[in-house]
Amino acid sequence: LQAMPQTNGIQPQQAMQNEDALQAAEALQAADAALPTVKLRYDTGVNSSSIGASGTPNIEVAIRFAPADIINLHGAKIKAVDIYLREQPADGIRLNIRRGDEIIYTQNVASVPAINEFVRIGLTEEVLIDASDDLYVGYEYNQQDGMFVAGVSTGPAVINKGDLISLAGSPFESIGLMGLDYNWNIAVLVEDNSGIVDLGYRIYRNQEAVADS
């Protein structure tokens, strides 16, 4: 990555890829293929950099899905969240899921199982998607200056959806609007009660589409 100027104390750092990280990614892909799940994400599924913020001990990163994005998943279960950390925060991370402005689920992870690769955090309680409001999924952590914890993939940034950050409890902002053209390496694994997610259907007559569900 080309070096970018500091923006509100937020800086990118190039990530290192290694054989273990590639093998871990392949293992997650194989697991996905065996599960009746849908993965919601804005990143490419490949880590390219990580973000750090100077002078800000508490950071939260998140992705957001508007009601129109998840209408076909209303009532479906969120099973797990995939994340990519470049460094390990000393006191771990806290996974947060919001419905609109309300936090509906938190889960503390004292130590993320691995860094420099995607890891999957399974939810310990049932969380259902409510498509009547925005869905936010992300994690927060405390960092020391010089750390670059949260992994990102190359853009273009999906503004105010794939690139949200909160510094020291401030309202979420878009890093894309700060000049950082990335999306967070966060993916949400969703499965409905029957294990099969209904994504709608299209009706054809004489090979022409005539209606959508």
Side-chain angles (χ1 to χ4, degrees):
L1 290 176
Q2 184 176 1
M4 301 178 69
Q6 183 169 330
T7 306
N8 291 343
I10 303 173
Q11 308 167 55
Q13 184 183 66
Q14 186 171 356
M16 295 187 300
Q17 295 288 339
N18 55 47
E19 189 65 27
D20 289 341
L22 294 176
Q23 291 178 356
E26 291 174 355
L28 284 182
Q29 291 174 358
D32 291 344
L35 293 172
T37 57
V38 169
K39 185 176 285 189
L40 303 175
R41 72 189 321 157
Y42 294 108
D43 68 326
T44 63
V46 177
N47 176 261
S48 63
S49 185
S50 57
I51 301 295
S54 59
T56 305
N58 179 262
I59 296 175
E60 182 171 5
V61 302
I63 58 176
R64 178 181 70 89
F65 300 94
D69 300 326
I70 52 176
I71 187 63
N72 288 326
L73 298 174
H74 182 75
K77 297 178 184 178
I78 298 176
K79 306 293 289 183
V81 179
D82 291 349
I83 63 173
Y84 190 112
L85 301 189
R86 178 70 175 79
E87 296 185 90
Q88 182 84 254
D91 51 358
I93 68 167
R94 183 170 71 179
L95 186 70
N96 291 326
I97 300 177
R98 287 177 169 82
R99 181 183 300 123
D101 295 330
E102 178 188 3
I103 295 180
I104 60 172
Y105 180 84
T106 65
Q107 182 175 327
N108 292 318
V109 181
S111 179
V112 176
I115 60 172
N116 289 317
E117 63 184 64
F118 278 94
V119 296
R120 179 160 296 168
I121 301 174
L123 271 58
T124 57
E125 298 178 14
E126 183 176 276
V127 178
L128 302 181
I129 289 180
D130 182 348
S132 67
D133 209 339
D134 289 346
L135 171 68
Y136 293 78
V137 180
Y139 57 92
E140 65 177 300
Y141 57 93
N142 295 318
Q143 72 156 41
Q144 297 176 329
D145 281 353
M147 292 185 70
F148 295 82
V149 174
V152 291
S153 69
T154 54
V158 183
I159 302 298
N160 288 321
K161 284 190 172 183
D163 65 341
L164 295 173
I165 190 167
S166 168
L167 304 176
S170 64
F172 281 117
E173 300 178 77
S174 160
I175 63 171
L177 295 180
M178 300 176 188
L180 299 173
D181 196 22
Y182 304 103
N183 294 298
W184 300 115
N185 287 138
I186 300 174
V188 186
L189 275 76
V190 177
E191 180 182 17
D192 76 355
N193 291 330
S194 67
I196 301 174
V197 176
D198 178 12
L199 295 178
Y201 56 86
R202 174 164 292 180
I203 300 173
Y204 288 83
R205 181 178 296 125
N206 296 326
Q207 298 183 340
E208 292 187 4
V210 295
D212 292 316
S213 66

